[in-house]
Amino acid sequence: MTFAFDNTYARLPERFFARQAPVPVPQPRLIKLNEALAHQLGLDPEALRSPEGLAMLAGNQVPAGADPLAMAYAGHQFGGFVPRLGDGRAILLGEILDPRGERYDIQLKGSGRTPFSRGGDGRAWLGPVLREYLLSEAMHALGIPTTRSLAAVATGELVYREAGPLPGAVLTRVARGHVRVGTFEYFQARQDTDALRQLADYVLARHYPEARASDQPYRALLVAVVARQAELVARWLGVGFIHGVMNTDNMSITGETIDYGPCAFMDAYHPGQVYSSIDHGGRYAYGNQPQIAQWNLARLAQALLPLLDPDQDQAVAQAQAVIDGFAPGFEQAYLACFRAKLGLLEAQEGDADLIDGLLRAMAATGADFTNSFRALNAAAAGAEGPLRAQLGDGGPATAWISRWQARLAGETTSPQTRSAAMRRANPAVIPRNHQVEAALEAAVAGDLKPLDTLLQVLAQPWDAGPGGEEFQRPPAPHQVVQRTFCGT
Ligand code: AMP
Ligand code: MG
């Protein structure tokens, strides 16, 4: 079994990373292998399952051609700057090209201590590893850019957390890249402009070739990253996703969702919803995510200042202008996303207000986010019952429904076209917290069936499928998950 590695990051200067092999584990056991992803990457699932493949996925054997390293990065965590974070429990094995020539990082997470581990053990435990596996694959199925999960391996080693000894695990993460906003901040903090330029050139060549061709490539890079993040956060809002730890070290330069810690998909709609146990101030609440994305991008802009213009006043003005472009870019992406959810296929003045009206009605009754939007599909086709059940039969909800129906009637769109578009805009199933927790609890106890079922259902989120009603049901009051944990 071989990965055909071609490791561009490892060819960057030594101060970009620390060379570090994964630390072997006593008893690797394959828990999950993502066969569909393996095929997509041109890897042979059978070879990955073999003892040799398993040894690689566990970090016990460094595959030929790999150049294992821990990436250096800094980051603003909850607003405070930490000049040195880096991969403290992850190893970039290397990069591979899929059959279409697309480049992907292969990273082991939970693979042991590195020079960036600080006080940590460099390990992960099975619960959060499977959580990332499940949620990242669900995100992918929803069509939202994300890192992916190729495999989860139990290590046979115990890791010690507040809750006591827990089974250790390693996740194989696949991403278009692992450069973060915090990677730029790392070199900014060291006033290492040469490294900043090399990093920016690397990112331009690998991820933003269009921007590289511009006459102001670094400015174009910032514009492009801002655009991708605006789009990404709009898409998160469209499925009720709350990242939970939008620190700058958890914002990928590629525009992929990365670092599934205490993230959650919300059940009852509330713009202030927070699940993360460490987000005391609600900094990363559902409705704050656009602003936080912009704040993080301003940190990127700041790091790029030395590259934007030799005259720093000019550079600041340029950076400010690009960052100011986030809000309109986000607004456009958000409107496109929510127009589709409401079945509005022709943009009109006043759409933002119509969308707002629905969200206000939902917040007033604590309506289920996913099911309310899904109920719009039926309502657009004439069956208003499920929608009224979500929004209540009171005045504001009824008034909103009439206004929306009138707006739909004013379009030339055919009902078939609208129905097909709405089906793809409003998933039937999302990873509901109580179901995620139950599946993970069973998996950790040795029963993988609930996790497999959930993975299967979430792989086709646009249809609940036979027996799927169970996965559309919001939690009963006693099932509501109030808090999610980083669980590192
Ligand atoms: P995260 O909260 O996963 O984004 O991680 C923030 C920082 O803490 C990163 O530098 C991680 O590498 C580091 N970190 C998290 N968990 C561990 C661990 N168990 N051992 C070492 N470093 C860790
Ligand atoms: Mg992180």
Side-chain angles (χ1 to χ4, degrees):
M1 164 74 201
T2 48
F3 295 94
F5 283 113
D6 173 42
N7 307 322
T8 58
Y9 209 80
R11 294 198 282 271
L12 286 168
E14 294 286 331
R15 61 194 191 283
F16 280 61
F17 46 75
R19 294 196 192 275
Q20 171 73 56
V23 180
V25 302
Q27 243 181 7
R29 189 163 54 87
L30 189 63
I31 303 290
K32 289 299 306 170
L33 179 69
N34 191 338
E35 298 213 356
L37 178 57
H39 284 300
Q40 191 195 309
L41 293 172
L43 302 171
D44 173 9
E46 282 323 301
L48 289 172
R49 282 184 193 285
S50 74
E52 196 198 354
L54 177 59
M56 292 179 197
L57 298 173
N60 281 4
Q61 192 182 318
V62 175
D67 210 336
L69 58 87
M71 290 168 75
Y73 53 85
H76 276 86
Q77 300 189 308
F78 291 91
F81 186 61
V82 184
R84 184 183 155 97
L85 288 166
D87 288 333
R89 53 159 171 169
I91 295 290
L92 175 64
L93 281 181
E95 301 149 38
I96 59 166
L97 298 175
D98 78 1
R100 292 174 309 163
E102 305 273 342
R103 182 176 295 272
Y104 288 95
D105 279 3
I106 305 291
Q107 196 205 56
L108 300 182
K109 189 170 171 183
S111 49
R113 286 182 54 80
T114 78
F116 301 104
S117 296
R118 296 168 288 162
D121 59 3
R123 292 298 186 192
W125 76 274
L126 187 57
V129 161
L130 292 177
R131 193 163 204 280
E132 171 154 353
Y133 188 107
L134 179 65
L135 289 174
S136 62
E137 287 306 304
M139 193 68 106
H140 171 73
L142 286 165
I144 299 176
T146 177
T147 63
R148 301 204 50 198
S149 300
L150 179 62
V153 171
T155 60
E157 190 178 73
L158 291 174
V159 299
Y160 294 84
R161 297 291 180 265
E162 237 172 87
L166 298 159
V170 174
L171 179 79
T172 305
R173 178 155 75 180
V174 176
R176 287 195 175 266
H178 280 91
V179 173
R180 305 139 192 272
V181 168
T183 319
F184 285 88
E185 291 180 287
Y186 180 83
F187 295 115
Q188 176 197 21
R190 284 155 185 78
Q191 300 184 336
D192 187 344
T193 305
D194 286 342
L196 269 177
R197 184 170 290 109
Q198 276 170 299
L199 180 63
D201 288 343
Y202 177 85
V203 167
L204 278 164
R206 181 166 173 187
H207 303 296
Y208 295 95
E210 334 72 58
R212 191 191 197 188
S214 147
D215 53 357
Q216 285 180 291
Y218 303 121
R219 186 185 165 280
L221 170 63
L222 185 59
V223 169
V225 175
V226 165
R228 279 199 202 171
Q229 287 296 336
E231 172 78 22
L232 179 66
V233 174
R235 305 282 307 274
W236 286 354
L237 296 195
V239 293
F241 180 73
I242 304 166
H243 182 285
V245 227
M246 283 179 75
N247 295 334
T248 56
D249 52 305
N250 292 337
M251 182 179 261
S252 171
I253 216 72
T254 65
E256 291 176 307
T257 310
I258 190 170
D259 247 324
Y260 290 81
C263 61
F265 287 74
M266 73 183 158
D267 294 301
Y269 172 69
H270 194 285
Q273 182 67 53
V274 174
Y275 289 100
S276 167
S277 63
I278 54 171
D279 190 3
H280 305 296
R283 179 181 171 91
Y284 300 139
Y286 172 81
N288 285 358
Q289 295 181 111
Q291 264 167 276
I292 291 291
Q294 186 181 28
W295 191 89
N296 289 351
L297 291 163
R299 305 287 74 77
L300 175 64
Q302 222 157 26
L304 289 175
L305 285 179
L307 307 185
L308 290 178
D309 199 293
D311 174 341
Q312 283 305 279
D313 290 340
Q314 280 294 323
V316 169
Q318 275 187 41
Q320 190 62 55
V322 177
I323 295 304
D324 288 345
F326 176 86
F330 169 77
E331 194 59 23
Q332 200 179 4
Y334 176 85
L335 274 176
C337 175
F338 278 79
R339 270 196 185 109
K341 294 178 77 65
L342 266 66
L344 313 177
L345 302 194
E346 298 161 10
Q348 280 183 25
E349 205 64 37
D351 287 349
D353 188 56
L354 189 66
I355 294 163
D356 240 37
L358 173 61
L359 291 172
R360 271 198 307 273
M362 285 165 57
T365 55
D368 184 79
F369 185 87
T370 305
N371 291 352
S372 295
F373 281 103
R374 190 71 179 182
L376 293 179
N377 298 15
E384 284 185 3
L387 183 59
R388 290 183 185 281
Q390 288 295 333
L391 301 183
D393 251 334
T398 304
W400 185 85
I401 294 172
S402 312
R403 187 176 156 211
W404 172 64
Q405 292 285 17
R407 169 72 177 76
L408 293 186
E411 288 198 356
T412 55
T413 310
S414 79
Q416 291 83 348
T417 306
R418 169 171 298 128
S419 148
M422 289 182 81
R423 212 183 120 260
R424 293 286 299 187
N426 295 317
V429 285
I430 47 119
R432 290 188 182 274
N433 300 313
H434 66 295
Q435 285 158 346
V436 169
E437 301 299 316
L440 294 181
E441 202 174 303
V444 169
D447 176 11
L448 285 173
K449 231 175 142 248
L451 178 70
D452 285 338
T453 307
L454 193 53
L455 273 165
Q456 230 171 49
V457 169
L458 293 171
Q460 309 284 341
W462 314 111
D463 290 297
E469 303 78 39
E470 183 190 336
F471 299 96
Q472 294 183 281
R473 215 172 290 140
H478 72 277
Q479 293 174 314
V480 173
V481 173
Q482 306 285 358
R483 287 278 163 268
T484 50
F485 299 89
C486 256
T488 58

